[in-house]
Amino acid sequence: AGASPDDSHGFSDLPLSIESLQASCVIAETSAGHVKLSMRSKPGDRAVDVNQLARQFGGGGHARASGAKMDKPMDEARPLVVAALSRI
């Protein structure tokens, strides 16, 4: 589509505009064939600590905004991330 990685900045915040969602994770494949995870969550009594999820994949951040990079292609990384998300 001709977009650059900078064009996707802020995408991980967009799903949080849906009232029933508590967390989001954008999975993007880099030009090198690796995967970048960008996670965000809402505060409150049902808050999800996305830093715990990011640390499972060697990343970090804080409870409401975290990220990680995976040395895997999208078709291998996506099922791992979806499985981890389903456990929280």
Side-chain angles (χ1 to χ4, degrees):
S4 75
D6 290 335
D7 293 328
S8 66
H9 183 72
F11 276 12
S12 55
D13 293 316
L14 291 175
L16 295 181
S17 65
I18 299 170
E19 186 177 337
S20 61
L21 289 182
Q22 293 302 308
S24 70
C25 179
V26 172
I27 307 170
E29 196 163 28
T30 68
S31 60
H34 304 294
V35 170
K36 179 183 170 192
L37 309 176
S38 297
M39 297 164 257
R40 301 291 182 270
S41 68
K42 293 179 182 175
D45 50 333
R46 295 182 0 181
V48 174
D49 184 347
V50 292
N51 186 36
Q52 289 182 2
L53 179 65
R55 285 188 284 165
Q56 291 180 43
F57 299 107
H62 57 85
R64 301 295 153 252
S66 293
K69 292 181 182 172
M70 298 176 71
D71 190 19
K72 297 184 180 305
M74 180 69 78
D75 63 337
E76 291 178 26
R78 188 166 105 25
L80 297 173
V81 174
V82 170
L85 282 167
S86 69
R87 290 190 296 268
I88 52 175

